[in-house]
Amino acid sequence: SSGDRFPQRAEETDLQMITAQLMSPGKGILAADESGGSIHKKFESLLIPDDEEHRRDYRNIFLSTPELEQYINGVILFDETTKQLSDDGRDFVSFLTAHGIIPGIKVDKGLVNFPDSEEKYTDGLEGLRERLDEYYERGLRFAKWRAAFEVRGTDFPSELAIEKNADILATYAKVCQDASIVPIVEPELVYDGNYTLETSIDTTSKILDCLFDALGKQGIKLESCILKVNMVMAGKQYPIQSTTEEVGRATSQVLRAHVPRKLGGVVFLPGGQS
């Protein structure tokens, strides 16, 4: 059972241990947390009925892959999936834990517009602690929260939107650590835009500075926190695309300059790239 593998209530060292497990080299974290809207589009395009049974079957294909634990440290689940059963009758949380894979959960409730603005913030702080306590009791040990930023001209994203989303991410991270859950903070500069590599460098740097300032104000233990971030590259619609070498160089330079060394780890989001 999940209780056999993980402590009943994590102390600070246990949160660091789980963070280290999630970041152990040579393996990744599988994001299996597509929202209802995303999975509906996918199923509709393939003429698959979008019902609970087919969504279970779809997730089961990935999670029951033989020897998955050799390649995956953790899986981010959608709420519905945490309550569904694998083919052997165990719930997916227990199934993954038994294979040495740490189960996690997406806890944000998606993007909503700021009042009288096209810019967005991420909803879901209301009732978060109660949800996290329930997830912890069911064996989930880390969480993910995404904030998304689009580039449209020189003042979009605005400083206000960056600051507000950073504050929300930091508040989420604090609630997670108080609930003995490792937070993954995901500030995404959306790739599907028309902007230069230089704009990506500047904007990602601003977002990271603001985020770590907010995390510091909340007293987040960075050793027990993971950053999930975009690659630093020109937007998908920009006519001159960044080369692999440019992306690697720009991304590593931005991370070295703007991410504290004691952070538990950095993982990358696919963001629609090949």
Side-chain angles (χ1 to χ4, degrees):
S1 73
S2 57
D4 295 334
R5 182 171 173 81
F6 300 113
Q8 286 304 304
R9 214 27 156 178
E11 302 294 333
E12 194 176 319
T13 50
D14 297 321
L15 281 180
Q16 281 187 247
M17 178 192 78
I18 291 165
T19 305
Q21 276 185 269
L22 286 168
M23 294 305 304
S24 47
K27 300 182 187 181
I29 297 172
L30 173 65
D33 61 333
E34 298 116 313
S35 65
S38 297
I39 212 162
H40 180 76
K41 283 184 202 165
K42 187 177 288 184
F43 280 14
E44 192 173 45
S45 70
L46 298 167
L47 304 178
I48 297 170
D50 183 14
D51 54 37
E52 188 177 344
E53 182 184 356
H54 283 87
R55 291 192 296 269
R56 187 220 75 94
D57 291 347
Y58 171 69
R59 261 85 187 226
N60 186 70
I61 288 169
F62 297 111
L63 303 184
S64 64
T65 300
E67 301 179 349
L68 184 66
E69 64 273 14
Q70 292 187 23
Y71 308 96
I72 297 295
N73 290 319
V75 177
I76 308 168
L77 298 168
F78 193 59
D79 179 80
E80 178 185 71
T81 315
T82 67
K83 300 163 188 165
Q84 292 174 326
L85 303 181
S86 62
D87 286 346
D88 68 4
R90 285 180 289 181
D91 64 82
F92 281 123
V93 175
S94 302
F95 178 85
L96 290 168
T97 303
H99 285 82
I101 297 170
I102 302 173
I105 182 74
K106 168 192 159 137
V107 293
D108 71 68
K109 293 193 172 178
L111 304 172
V112 293
N113 283 53
F114 285 108
D116 305 316
S117 172
E118 290 185 36
E119 294 193 277
K120 299 181 188 298
Y121 69 93
T122 308
D123 194 21
L125 287 178
E126 190 174 340
L128 178 60
R129 178 58 195 259
E130 290 76 18
R131 285 186 284 135
L132 288 172
D133 284 342
E134 182 192 335
Y135 287 137
Y136 187 93
E137 291 306 316
R138 284 162 48 198
L140 293 134
R141 290 296 178 265
F142 72 99
K144 187 205 81 166
W145 185 288
R146 173 180 177 257
F149 302 94
E150 294 181 43
V151 173
R152 298 189 208 169
T154 51
D155 298 317
F156 202 114
S158 65
E159 285 187 24
L160 179 67
I162 293 173
E163 284 174 14
K164 290 287 187 188
N165 276 292
D167 287 343
I168 292 168
L169 275 166
T171 302
Y172 141 81
K174 174 68 173 161
V175 178
C176 279
Q177 291 191 343
D178 287 348
S180 301
I181 298 272
V182 172
I184 294 182
V185 291
E186 180 180 350
E188 176 184 2
L189 182 63
V190 177
Y191 173 49
D192 190 18
N194 184 359
Y195 55 87
T196 65
L197 173 63
E198 288 71 26
T199 297
S200 181
I201 291 169
D202 291 345
T203 309
T204 303
S205 299
K206 269 187 210 168
I207 290 167
L208 291 176
D209 285 346
C210 202
L211 173 62
F212 284 106
D213 183 54
L215 292 172
K217 287 174 182 170
Q218 285 284 3
I220 299 303
K221 298 174 181 70
L222 291 181
E223 301 89 342
S224 303
C225 181
I226 292 170
L227 172 70
K228 186 181 182 194
V229 70
N230 52 276
M231 295 280 183
V232 180
M233 59 201 299
K236 192 175 185 177
Q237 294 165 25
Y238 189 68
I240 303 169
Q241 287 294 290
S242 308
T243 65
T244 306
E245 290 76 13
E246 286 171 334
V247 175
R249 191 177 302 112
T251 302
S252 61
Q253 285 173 351
V254 167
L255 293 178
R256 283 199 181 99
H258 301 278
V259 175
R261 286 184 177 272
K262 63 181 179 179
L263 184 72
V266 178
V267 293
F268 294 101
L269 57 96
Q273 299 165 56
S274 65

